[in-house]
Structures are given as C-alpha cells and as structure tokens.
Amino acid sequence: MSKKIDAALKSLVKALEHHGEVMSDRPVSAKRAGRATEKVRQAASAYSQVVADKTGQPNPFVDFLDPETVQSLRGERDAIATKKTKKND
C-alpha cells in the first residue's frame, strides 16, 4: 500500500473512532460533536484526494452526496476533460 494512502487511511480511522467515542457520550456536547464531525470530514476528504492522486479512482464516498452535488461534480469533471482534450488537439 502507498505510504500516503496508508497514512490518510490511519487518520480517517482515528477520526472515525474519535467521532464514535464522542457520539457515545451522554449528553453529547454540540460543540464537541461538531469538532469531531469536522475531523471526520477533513480526514475523509484527505483520504479521497490521496486515493484520486495515486490511483485516478473516484471519491469512494460519492454515494453519500446528494444527487445535485454528484451531478455538479460530474459536470465539472466532464468540462475539465473536454478542456484538456481541446487543448491537446
């Protein structure tokens, strides 16, 4: 496994474990829950970016996005691909 992918994976797992611990607390502090959620989002984003950079594979979490966001991202991707194709011609 790539060192960068491995490091990003470990960060994601750590963020998820912390999130689970925070969410298990009763009562859950909204501020603490928000910070834990943001750490998961950042770690997931970093993991997705490293995987894309190293393998060219799409975001493994794309199914969790709402349909409008997915459509927008696909449109952006297609526009970039078209621009690159025109540039190379």
Side-chain angles (χ1 to χ4, degrees):
M1 181 180 319
S2 157
K3 287 182 183 181
K4 288 185 178 184
I5 292 176
D6 188 48
L9 175 61
K10 286 177 182 176
S11 292
L12 177 56
V13 169
K14 184 177 176 180
L16 286 167
E17 288 173 342
H18 176 70
H19 187 269
E21 290 171 9
V22 169
M23 295 305 156
S24 297
D25 289 347
R26 294 287 180 247
V28 178
S29 159
K31 188 174 182 178
R32 190 165 181 237
R35 284 195 305 257
T37 298
E38 183 58 26
K39 284 181 182 179
V40 169
R41 288 180 178 174
Q42 288 178 3
S45 177
Y47 177 77
S48 297
Q49 188 61 53
V50 168
V51 168
D53 291 347
K54 290 287 186 182
T55 67
Q57 293 298 309
N59 183 339
F61 304 108
V62 75
D63 295 342
F64 297 116
L65 301 173
D66 60 275
E68 292 83 19
T69 302
V70 172
Q71 185 61 32
S72 175
L73 291 170
R74 285 184 179 142
E76 289 178 33
R77 177 200 61 203
D78 294 345
I80 291 168
T82 300
K83 190 175 182 179
K84 285 182 180 180
T85 301
K86 287 181 181 179
K87 204 178 206 183
N88 290 335
D89 287 344

